[in-house]
Short mmCIF file of all heavy atoms in Angstrom, two decimals:
data_model
loop_
_atom_site.label_atom_id
_atom_site.label_comp_id
_atom_site.label_asym_id
_atom_site.label_seq_id
_atom_site.Cartn_x
_atom_site.Cartn_y
_atom_site.Cartn_z
N PRO N 29 -42.24 -112.40 -35.19
CA PRO N 29 -43.57 -112.94 -35.47
C PRO N 29 -43.82 -113.07 -36.96
O PRO N 29 -43.33 -112.28 -37.77
CB PRO N 29 -44.52 -111.90 -34.84
CG PRO N 29 -43.72 -110.65 -34.79
CD PRO N 29 -42.29 -111.07 -34.56
N THR N 30 -44.56 -114.06 -37.30
CA THR N 30 -44.87 -114.31 -38.71
C THR N 30 -45.96 -113.35 -39.17
O THR N 30 -47.02 -113.24 -38.53
CB THR N 30 -45.34 -115.76 -38.91
OG1 THR N 30 -44.33 -116.64 -38.45
CG2 THR N 30 -45.62 -116.03 -40.37
N ILE N 31 -45.72 -112.62 -40.23
CA ILE N 31 -46.70 -111.66 -40.78
C ILE N 31 -47.37 -112.29 -41.99
O ILE N 31 -46.70 -112.65 -42.97
CB ILE N 31 -46.01 -110.35 -41.21
CG1 ILE N 31 -45.31 -109.73 -40.01
CG2 ILE N 31 -47.02 -109.39 -41.81
CD1 ILE N 31 -44.50 -108.51 -40.35
N PRO N 32 -48.70 -112.50 -41.92
CA PRO N 32 -49.37 -113.14 -43.05
C PRO N 32 -49.32 -112.23 -44.28
O PRO N 32 -49.47 -111.02 -44.19
CB PRO N 32 -50.81 -113.31 -42.55
CG PRO N 32 -50.97 -112.29 -41.48
CD PRO N 32 -49.61 -112.15 -40.84
N LEU N 33 -49.05 -112.83 -45.40
CA LEU N 33 -48.99 -112.08 -46.66
C LEU N 33 -50.34 -112.13 -47.35
O LEU N 33 -51.05 -113.15 -47.32
CB LEU N 33 -47.91 -112.69 -47.56
CG LEU N 33 -46.48 -112.65 -47.02
CD1 LEU N 33 -45.52 -113.32 -48.00
CD2 LEU N 33 -46.04 -111.22 -46.75
N ILE N 34 -50.74 -111.02 -47.98
CA ILE N 34 -52.00 -110.96 -48.72
C ILE N 34 -51.71 -110.34 -50.08
O ILE N 34 -50.98 -109.36 -50.19
CB ILE N 34 -53.06 -110.15 -47.94
CG1 ILE N 34 -54.40 -110.14 -48.72
CG2 ILE N 34 -52.59 -108.74 -47.68
CD1 ILE N 34 -55.55 -109.55 -47.92
N SER N 35 -52.29 -110.93 -51.09
CA SER N 35 -52.04 -110.43 -52.44
C SER N 35 -52.85 -109.17 -52.70
O SER N 35 -53.82 -108.86 -51.99
CB SER N 35 -52.41 -111.50 -53.47
OG SER N 35 -53.81 -111.72 -53.47
N ARG N 36 -52.47 -108.43 -53.74
CA ARG N 36 -53.19 -107.21 -54.10
C ARG N 36 -54.62 -107.54 -54.50
O ARG N 36 -55.55 -106.81 -54.17
CB ARG N 36 -52.46 -106.53 -55.26
CG ARG N 36 -53.08 -105.22 -55.72
CD ARG N 36 -52.19 -104.53 -56.73
NE ARG N 36 -52.79 -103.29 -57.21
CZ ARG N 36 -53.66 -103.21 -58.21
NH1 ARG N 36 -54.04 -104.31 -58.85
NH2 ARG N 36 -54.17 -102.04 -58.58
N ARG N 37 -54.77 -108.69 -55.17
CA ARG N 37 -56.11 -109.11 -55.60
C ARG N 37 -57.02 -109.37 -54.40
O ARG N 37 -58.16 -108.93 -54.35
CB ARG N 37 -56.01 -110.35 -56.46
CG ARG N 37 -57.34 -110.88 -56.99
CD ARG N 37 -57.08 -112.02 -57.97
NE ARG N 37 -58.34 -112.53 -58.50
CZ ARG N 37 -59.08 -113.46 -57.89
NH1 ARG N 37 -58.67 -113.97 -56.74
NH2 ARG N 37 -60.21 -113.89 -58.42
N ASP N 38 -56.45 -110.07 -53.39
CA ASP N 38 -57.25 -110.35 -52.20
C ASP N 38 -57.61 -109.07 -51.45
O ASP N 38 -58.69 -108.95 -50.87
CB ASP N 38 -56.47 -111.30 -51.28
CG ASP N 38 -56.35 -112.69 -51.88
OD1 ASP N 38 -57.18 -113.03 -52.75
OD2 ASP N 38 -55.42 -113.43 -51.49
N ALA N 39 -56.66 -108.11 -51.45
CA ALA N 39 -56.94 -106.84 -50.77
C ALA N 39 -58.08 -106.08 -51.43
O ALA N 39 -58.94 -105.49 -50.76
CB ALA N 39 -55.68 -105.98 -50.75
N LEU N 40 -58.13 -106.09 -52.76
CA LEU N 40 -59.20 -105.41 -53.49
C LEU N 40 -60.54 -106.08 -53.23
O LEU N 40 -61.57 -105.42 -53.04
CB LEU N 40 -58.91 -105.40 -54.99
CG LEU N 40 -57.72 -104.51 -55.42
CD1 LEU N 40 -57.44 -104.70 -56.90
CD2 LEU N 40 -58.01 -103.04 -55.11
N ILE N 41 -60.52 -107.46 -53.19
CA ILE N 41 -61.76 -108.18 -52.94
C ILE N 41 -62.28 -107.87 -51.54
O ILE N 41 -63.47 -107.64 -51.33
CB ILE N 41 -61.53 -109.69 -53.11
CG1 ILE N 41 -61.25 -110.02 -54.60
CG2 ILE N 41 -62.74 -110.49 -52.60
CD1 ILE N 41 -60.86 -111.46 -54.84
N ALA N 42 -61.38 -107.83 -50.56
CA ALA N 42 -61.78 -107.54 -49.19
C ALA N 42 -62.32 -106.13 -49.06
O ALA N 42 -63.31 -105.89 -48.36
CB ALA N 42 -60.59 -107.73 -48.26
N GLY N 43 -61.70 -105.19 -49.77
CA GLY N 43 -62.17 -103.81 -49.72
C GLY N 43 -63.55 -103.66 -50.32
O GLY N 43 -64.41 -102.94 -49.80
N ALA N 44 -63.79 -104.35 -51.44
CA ALA N 44 -65.10 -104.28 -52.08
C ALA N 44 -66.17 -104.87 -51.20
O ALA N 44 -67.29 -104.36 -51.11
CB ALA N 44 -65.04 -105.01 -53.43
N ALA N 45 -65.85 -105.98 -50.53
CA ALA N 45 -66.82 -106.61 -49.64
C ALA N 45 -67.17 -105.70 -48.47
O ALA N 45 -68.33 -105.59 -48.06
CB ALA N 45 -66.26 -107.93 -49.13
N THR N 46 -66.16 -105.01 -47.94
CA THR N 46 -66.41 -104.09 -46.82
C THR N 46 -67.30 -102.93 -47.25
O THR N 46 -68.22 -102.52 -46.53
CB THR N 46 -65.07 -103.55 -46.29
OG1 THR N 46 -64.25 -104.65 -45.88
CG2 THR N 46 -65.30 -102.62 -45.11
N ALA N 47 -67.03 -102.39 -48.45
CA ALA N 47 -67.83 -101.27 -48.94
C ALA N 47 -69.28 -101.69 -49.17
O ALA N 47 -70.21 -100.94 -48.88
CB ALA N 47 -67.23 -100.73 -50.23
N THR N 48 -69.47 -102.92 -49.69
CA THR N 48 -70.83 -103.41 -49.94
C THR N 48 -71.59 -103.56 -48.64
O THR N 48 -72.76 -103.18 -48.52
CB THR N 48 -70.77 -104.75 -50.68
OG1 THR N 48 -70.08 -104.56 -51.91
CG2 THR N 48 -72.18 -105.26 -50.96
N ALA N 49 -70.92 -104.12 -47.64
CA ALA N 49 -71.57 -104.30 -46.35
C ALA N 49 -71.96 -102.97 -45.73
O ALA N 49 -73.03 -102.82 -45.15
CB ALA N 49 -70.62 -105.07 -45.41
#
Side-chain angles (χ1 to χ4, degrees):
T30 302
I31 301 175
L33 298 178
I34 182 171
S35 67
R36 181 172 179 275
R37 180 173 181 274
D38 291 338
L40 292 174
I41 292 174
T46 302
T48 301

